[in-house]
Amino acid sequence: MDASKPTIPVTLIPGDGIGPEVVTAARRIVEATGAQIGWEEQRAGAAVFKEGMPSGVPQETIESIGRTRVALKGPLETPVGFGEKSANVTLRKLFETYGNIRPVRTLPGVPTAFSDRNIDLVVVRENVEDLYAGIEYMQTPSVAQALKLISVKGSEKISRFGFEYARSEGRTKVACATKANIMKLSEGTMKRAFEKVALDYPDIESWHVIVDNAAHQLVKRPEQFEVLVTTNMNGDILSDLTSALVGGLGFAPSANIGNEVAIFEAVHGSAPKYAGKDVINPTAMILSAVMMLRYLGLFDEAAAIEHAVFVTLESGVLTGDVLGYDRGTPTSTYADAIIGNLGQRTEAWTIRDAKKLVLPALDPAPDYVRPTERNVVGLDVFVESPLSAAELGASLMELTHDTRLSLKMVSSRGTKVFPPTGAMTETGDHFRCRFIIKETPGDLPDEDVNQLLARISRRHRWMHIEKLQEFDGELGFTRDQGEN
Amino acid sequence: MDASKPTIPVTLIPGDGIGPEVVTAARRIVEATGAQIGWEEQRAGAAVFKEGMPSGVPQETIESIGRTRVALKGPLETPVGFGEKSANVTLRKLFETYGNIRPVRTLPGVPTAFSDRNIDLVVVRENVEDLYAGIEYMQTPSVAQALKLISVKGSEKISRFGFEYARSEGRTKVACATKANIMKLSEGTMKRAFEKVALDYPDIESWHVIVDNAAHQLVKRPEQFEVLVTTNMNGDILSDLTSALVGGLGFAPSANIGNEVAIFEAVHGSAPKYAGKDVINPTAMILSAVMMLRYLGLFDEAAAIEHAVFVTLESGVLTGDVLGYDRGTPTSTYADAIIGNLGQRTEAWTIRDAKKLVLPALDPAPDYVRPTERNVVGLDVFVESPLSAAELGASLMELTHDTRLSLKMVSSRGTKVFPPTGAMTETGDHFRCRFIIKETPGDLPDEDVNQLLARISRRHRWMHIEKLQEFDGELGFTRDQGEN
């Protein structure tokens, strides 16, 4: 220990299955660089779930991370029958680590379909919003619904993060992948946020790509991407795709970064069948530790490890995931080889010059967007009914004709089915009934909403209501297939 | 014309951009096989939008398809500023073509990173549900929401379709890709439906794969898949990924099949910059026509075209997308070459023996699942508020303490923030407030719902309500991150 250098506290979570083995490998290599880390070892995962804690994360662990603000963690398992939520997701959400960073690059000696290509890209995935919130309802006994929530602020924050991350690594291109062509409000929010933020980074080339095309392009010509910013669910799929381009999850590091806390972890799971066998590839965890060192400002130590990993791979020292588990280098031997190669440099493979990442600072006000004018112009009432669309439509018109709202249409899974369109749309037991205020312009008070609901309740079973709003003259809702 | 054979009517939609060129190529080749098709040429797309029809599909086209029940169509464009919805999606939804089939296979002479691999798989994508319904609301000025709707019936239907499709082509493996680990109700509905339906097909090997892992595996080892059944949004991304494995969208055919109608189309867009230049690759449209011929029972004609395409590609006749647009074979010449090769057979590339596809027949009752017992046990009220979670929680408790419901928690994007958890969760202007019925077991009548809403309206702005239901003792809603 060098008493003139400060010791940096880091929470260390070995995790489940092969977690302790890969975390030990990473820790030994970090220590061998001389980085002065004060590890606080903490628990989370399977054993904690089994003790009856439904989050899988004990209070001491939460407090440790709250103190150190940095964690290096192994994979956590949610044992079947214990807890509804993944402990990995819980940690990300508890500490609002909104930026998930998943870098991949072509590695020496690792054979893939893309070995001869120069892939070096980073997926920057929004990490706390979107369908991952897991907010779900059975609307009827036959129809499930999940809510996809995307905020303007969350989208601007991750977009800005993407550009800042690019700058911190000297990258010059940032793309954004969304499905804004189909989901104009939710995915469109991310697209618009990205395009707005891009204006502040004129030195960086930026463009938008539709997410299915992004998946296509990542396979066809992955070299075109440097940084790819995207929403949570898209990013989940795209980042797992990219890790396959360079040799699989054994080589896929990640970071979850928020304003207060950063958590570094391999992407892979706990692989229980390999646990304790000293055969697993620890590269993903080692490269996660490299990301951590850069986050902590220990750039030389980070570069030293990255060089040593490349020199080791170049020399043909490879683990079982690449060579076959009967022939691979053991985990501990592989870590020893990297430690032995510390101080060596590879010429063929560049290591990026990294700078400290600047985290975005956004307006902390809760009402991030403030319209000057707003109105409630109608109501969508979701109804469970065994009736046909025509019968339901007629009944609703009769029930509500003397209210301040009129029935505009009934739809089934986004397609208008009443008034009839002549199409072959199948209906089930789940209908959305759109009511629009009669006087325009108008703003519907809650008393009228309640009156409408009371009328509908006389004969029908509703389970879900959405107010139709207008903000500064812009519709806050989409039209349906077949709606004019 | 052979008067002893019936003429089969098919609606032909040339479409926009390069559409007419690729459709003409496909039509000429189909006719050269001797297949007796009575083409009804119809319009849809850009020009129709510009005439002021917001769907992009004229009534005559809808009537023609309603008559012929089969369409071969080129790509349709939605010009910016006209119509909110894609005409392609409109056609799929109007005719309830719930099964989107996207086959890909390694092709002779087409260089890709996977050229030496034997890829031959089909993505079977649910085509009318899910986020593609495009049902969206601005919940607050800062927060957008899209609804992801997945039905039990829709999921069973597409699963059964996947197995039947496998049988029709003599395939022996069917996988299902979902995100059921995060969305247990919505994506879980698809997983459960698939596993239930699989029991009826003991001769076919089946398994479930998490969708992000599916993307990973499709890049790492695509040969492991034969048929991959999935939900609409997942399928959108995965199928575009797979088309890149075999040479891009120029080679990606598709079919949209429902109980009544089938629409065959290339996956690619209208590529306006290549329109009228006789340079576009028509293979995707030609292979779509091959799928159509099989659907119509014209198996020999289909096989003849498929052989001729393979012989042509093997001979090195390739279009501009592969060779560069200055050096590629013109579209019309490429079609001529295929016509010239009709009757020839390739030995190196197998053509599958196809049988008529058996479409699933499901219980037509609207209430597809019928619970014997059901209760409304609470209410989620979504509130827009500039308050902190603690302030909002306290206010709601005060407003509602003497109702039949009690406030259980307030959450922000799926994470509990009241009562406080000690976590660093950021809040915005969008909160979900969960109220649970006090007496248990209980079933909340609508009057009590209305009373609660009236109380909340006194001080707060709500925009969205979800009833919390239980069906046969099972919770019809998910718990939150941090909720016990």
Side-chain angles (χ1 to χ4, degrees):
Chain A
M1 298 285 272
D2 178 347
S4 70
K5 286 202 289 185
T7 294
I8 304 173
V10 166
T11 301
L12 187 75
I13 304 174
D16 296 319
I18 49 73
E21 293 163 67
V22 296
V23 166
T24 299
R27 175 182 179 161
R28 285 175 53 220
I29 294 167
V30 167
E31 287 174 349
T33 66
Q36 288 192 183
I37 307 291
W39 306 100
E40 290 191 11
E41 199 165 315
Q42 295 288 346
R43 301 166 68 232
V48 179
F49 278 113
K50 287 180 178 163
E51 286 163 15
M53 199 162 302
S55 69
V57 186
Q59 194 58 32
E60 307 87 76
T61 304
I62 294 176
E63 281 164 16
S64 169
I65 299 174
R67 238 179 357 255
T68 64
R69 307 278 160 144
V70 178
L72 184 67
K73 70 174 268 295
L76 306 179
E77 216 183 301
T78 308
V80 175
F82 294 86
E84 284 192 8
K85 303 280 177 178
S86 139
N88 300 304
V89 176
T90 296
L91 279 169
R92 288 176 213 161
K93 297 199 76 166
L94 287 179
F95 293 103
E96 192 76 17
T97 58
Y98 65 84
N100 180 226
I101 312 175
R102 302 258 309 245
V104 295
R105 55 176 298 182
T106 307
L107 295 168
V110 180
T112 72
F114 298 87
S115 295
D116 56 337
R117 312 276 278 264
N118 187 19
I119 299 171
D120 182 4
L121 67 89
V122 183
V123 175
V124 172
R125 165 187 171 198
E126 201 290 324
N127 213 15
V128 291
E129 301 194 339
D130 201 357
L131 292 162
Y132 258 71
I135 306 173
E136 295 187 288
Y137 304 93
M138 291 308 295
Q139 297 273 290
T140 76
S142 320
V143 178
Q145 171 190 275
L147 300 184
K148 176 179 173 79
L149 293 170
I150 305 275
S151 76
V152 175
K153 187 175 184 176
S155 300
E156 289 188 9
K157 202 157 59 164
I158 195 68
S159 295
R160 201 163 283 279
F161 187 102
F163 284 98
E164 289 295 342
Y165 192 84
R167 268 198 187 156
S168 78
E169 296 198 333
R171 296 178 188 261
T172 58
K173 300 200 292 188
V174 180
C176 175
T178 78
K179 195 67 192 174
N181 55 330
I182 295 290
M183 286 169 274
K184 293 178 205 275
L185 297 183
S186 58
E187 290 278 313
T189 289
M190 174 64 93
K191 177 170 186 280
R192 287 184 291 275
F194 178 82
E195 287 167 348
K196 176 184 161 191
V197 166
L199 299 175
D200 293 341
Y201 297 86
D203 52 320
I204 294 179
E205 184 191 345
S206 67
W207 71 100
H208 174 263
V209 54
I210 295 176
V211 61
D212 38 318
N213 187 29
H216 186 85
Q217 296 298 329
L218 281 167
V219 173
K220 206 163 177 200
R221 208 161 56 78
E223 308 86 339
Q224 70 188 287
F225 296 105
E226 291 192 4
V227 175
L228 187 57
V229 173
T230 188
T231 48
N232 201 339
M233 186 62 226
N234 292 339
D236 185 34
I237 298 176
L238 294 185
S239 61
D240 246 37
L241 185 171
T242 57
S243 59
L245 298 171
V246 300
L249 295 178
F251 297 96
S254 84
N256 301 285
I257 297 183
N259 287 336
E260 307 289 339
V261 163
I263 302 171
F264 299 85
E265 61 186 339
V267 168
H268 59 66
S270 58
K273 78 170 175 174
Y274 297 115
K277 295 187 178 156
D278 199 27
V279 297
I280 207 77
N281 181 357
T283 311
M285 185 54 71
I286 294 164
L287 294 177
S288 300
V290 167
M291 296 178 81
M292 178 185 83
L293 293 173
R294 293 211 169 101
Y295 177 82
L296 295 171
L298 302 174
F299 299 109
D300 294 341
E301 291 84 346
I305 296 176
E306 213 176 339
H307 273 291
V309 168
F310 277 36
V311 169
T312 305
L313 292 172
E314 264 183 325
S315 75
V317 176
L318 293 160
T319 42
D321 54 332
V322 180
L323 298 180
Y325 282 102
D326 52 332
R327 303 194 296 135
T329 303
T331 310
S332 53
T333 313
Y334 180 79
D336 290 340
I338 293 170
I339 291 171
N341 286 327
L342 282 170
Q344 296 211 48
R345 304 179 73 84
T346 168
E347 294 307 317
W349 303 80
T350 40
I351 304 294
R352 288 186 173 276
D353 252 345
K355 291 194 301 242
K356 189 96 179 167
L357 173 66
V358 178
L359 287 171
L362 278 78
D363 178 358
D367 46 343
Y368 191 70
V369 178
R370 297 174 203 100
T372 43
E373 213 199 306
R374 56 187 295 166
N375 289 301
V376 175
V377 298
L379 205 66
D380 274 358
V381 182
F382 293 69
V383 167
E384 176 183 339
S385 172
L387 298 178
S388 72
E391 291 164 334
L392 178 63
S395 169
L396 289 171
M397 286 181 77
E398 188 195 325
L399 283 169
T400 62
H401 70 96
D402 60 345
T403 66
R404 282 180 66 184
L405 291 147
S406 64
L407 181 68
K408 187 175 182 214
M409 61 149 196
V410 177
S411 67
S412 171
R413 294 161 305 165
T415 300
K416 185 172 101 169
V417 290
F418 178 88
T421 60
M424 295 178 177
T425 317
E426 219 181 282
T427 57
D429 59 358
H430 182 261
F431 294 94
R432 182 165 55 126
C433 312
R434 174 157 290 180
F435 293 90
I436 297 287
I437 192 167
K438 285 174 185 163
E439 68 266 47
T440 49
D443 183 28
L444 195 71
D446 279 358
E447 300 85 74
D448 290 292
V449 171
N450 276 5
Q451 189 204 7
L452 187 85
L453 293 179
R455 290 294 182 85
I456 293 172
S457 292
R458 285 186 193 166
R459 280 197 227 149
H460 303 287
R461 195 197 288 272
W462 66 262
M463 88 304 282
H464 172 180
I465 309 286
E466 298 276 353
K467 281 187 189 164
L468 302 178
Q469 307 190 74
E470 263 183 25
F471 301 107
D472 289 335
E474 296 245 2
L475 291 191
F477 53 97
T478 46
R479 292 212 175 87
D480 265 16
Q481 210 76 44
E483 183 183 2
N484 296 333
Chain B
M1 295 287 275
D2 177 348
S4 71
K5 286 200 292 183
T7 294
I8 304 173
V10 166
T11 302
L12 187 75
I13 303 174
D16 297 317
I18 49 77
E21 294 163 68
V22 296
V23 166
T24 299
R27 175 182 179 159
R28 284 176 53 220
I29 294 168
V30 167
E31 288 174 348
T33 67
Q36 287 193 186
I37 307 291
W39 306 100
E40 291 191 10
E41 199 166 316
Q42 295 288 344
R43 301 166 66 233
V48 180
F49 278 113
K50 287 181 178 161
E51 286 164 16
M53 200 163 302
S55 69
V57 185
Q59 193 58 31
E60 308 87 77
T61 304
I62 294 175
E63 282 164 16
S64 169
I65 298 175
R67 238 179 356 255
T68 64
R69 306 278 160 145
V70 179
L72 183 67
K73 72 175 267 296
L76 306 179
E77 217 182 299
T78 307
V80 175
F82 294 87
E84 284 193 8
K85 305 279 175 178
S86 140
N88 300 302
V89 176
T90 296
L91 279 170
R92 288 175 213 161
K93 298 198 77 165
L94 286 179
F95 293 103
E96 193 76 17
T97 57
Y98 65 85
N100 181 226
I101 312 177
R102 302 258 307 244
V104 295
R105 55 176 301 182
T106 307
L107 295 167
V110 182
T112 73
F114 297 87
S115 296
D116 57 338
R117 314 276 278 266
N118 187 18
I119 299 171
D120 182 4
L121 66 88
V122 183
V123 174
V124 173
R125 165 186 171 200
E126 201 290 323
N127 214 15
V128 291
E129 301 194 339
D130 202 355
L131 291 162
Y132 258 73
I135 307 173
E136 296 187 287
Y137 304 93
M138 292 307 295
Q139 296 273 291
T140 77
S142 321
V143 178
Q145 172 190 276
L147 301 184
K148 178 181 172 76
L149 293 170
I150 305 275
S151 76
V152 175
K153 187 175 185 175
S155 301
E156 289 188 9
K157 201 157 58 165
I158 195 68
S159 296
R160 200 165 284 280
F161 187 102
F163 283 99
E164 288 295 342
Y165 192 83
R167 269 198 187 155
S168 78
E169 296 199 333
R171 297 178 187 263
T172 58
K173 299 199 292 186
V174 180
C176 174
T178 79
K179 196 66 192 176
N181 55 329
I182 295 291
M183 287 169 274
K184 291 176 206 277
L185 297 183
S186 57
E187 290 277 313
T189 289
M190 175 63 94
K191 177 170 186 279
R192 286 184 293 276
F194 178 82
E195 288 167 349
K196 177 184 161 192
V197 166
L199 300 175
D200 293 341
Y201 298 86
D203 51 319
I204 293 178
E205 185 190 343
S206 68
W207 70 99
H208 175 261
V209 54
I210 294 175
V211 61
D212 39 317
N213 187 31
H216 187 83
Q217 295 298 330
L218 281 167
V219 173
K220 208 168 175 193
R221 209 161 55 77
E223 307 87 339
Q224 69 189 287
F225 295 105
E226 292 193 1
V227 175
L228 187 56
V229 173
T230 188
T231 48
N232 201 340
M233 186 62 226
N234 292 339
D236 185 35
I237 299 176
L238 294 185
S239 61
D240 245 37
L241 185 170
T242 57
S243 60
L245 298 171
V246 300
L249 294 178
F251 297 96
S254 84
N256 300 286
I257 297 183
N259 288 335
E260 308 288 340
V261 163
I263 301 171
F264 299 85
E265 60 186 339
V267 168
H268 58 68
S270 59
K273 78 170 173 172
Y274 297 115
K277 296 187 178 156
D278 199 27
V279 297
I280 208 74
N281 182 355
T283 313
M285 185 56 71
I286 294 164
L287 294 177
S288 300
V290 167
M291 295 178 80
M292 180 187 81
L293 293 174
R294 293 214 167 97
Y295 177 82
L296 295 172
L298 302 174
F299 298 109
D300 294 341
E301 291 83 346
I305 297 176
E306 213 175 339
H307 274 291
V309 168
F310 277 36
V311 169
T312 305
L313 292 172
E314 263 183 325
S315 74
V317 176
L318 292 160
T319 41
D321 55 332
V322 179
L323 297 180
Y325 282 101
D326 52 332
R327 301 196 295 135
T329 303
T331 309
S332 54
T333 314
Y334 181 77
D336 291 339
I338 293 171
I339 291 171
N341 286 326
L342 282 171
Q344 297 211 48
R345 304 179 73 82
T346 167
E347 293 308 316
W349 302 81
T350 41
I351 304 294
R352 287 186 174 276
D353 251 344
K355 289 195 302 247
K356 190 98 178 165
L357 174 66
V358 178
L359 287 171
L362 277 78
D363 178 359
D367 46 344
Y368 191 71
V369 178
R370 299 173 202 101
T372 43
E373 214 198 307
R374 56 187 295 165
N375 289 302
V376 175
V377 298
L379 206 66
D380 274 359
V381 182
F382 294 70
V383 168
E384 177 183 338
S385 172
L387 298 178
S388 72
E391 291 165 335
L392 177 62
S395 169
L396 288 171
M397 288 182 77
E398 190 195 323
L399 283 168
T400 63
H401 69 95
D402 60 345
T403 66
R404 283 179 67 184
L405 292 146
S406 64
L407 180 70
K408 189 176 180 213
M409 61 151 196
V410 177
S411 67
S412 171
R413 293 162 304 166
T415 300
K416 186 172 101 170
V417 291
F418 177 86
T421 61
M424 292 176 179
T425 317
E426 220 180 279
T427 58
D429 59 358
H430 182 262
F431 295 93
R432 182 165 55 125
C433 312
R434 174 158 288 180
F435 292 90
I436 297 288
I437 192 167
K438 283 173 184 164
E439 69 266 42
T440 50
D443 182 30
L444 195 70
D446 279 358
E447 300 86 75
D448 289 292
V449 171
N450 276 6
Q451 189 204 9
L452 187 86
L453 293 179
R455 290 296 182 85
I456 293 172
S457 292
R458 285 186 194 166
R459 281 198 225 148
H460 303 288
R461 195 197 288 270
W462 66 264
M463 86 304 283
H464 172 181
I465 310 287
E466 298 275 354
K467 281 187 188 164
L468 302 178
Q469 307 189 77
E470 263 182 26
F471 300 106
D472 289 336
E474 295 244 2
L475 290 191
F477 52 98
T478 46
R479 292 211 176 86
D480 266 16
Q481 210 76 40
E483 183 185 1
N484 295 331

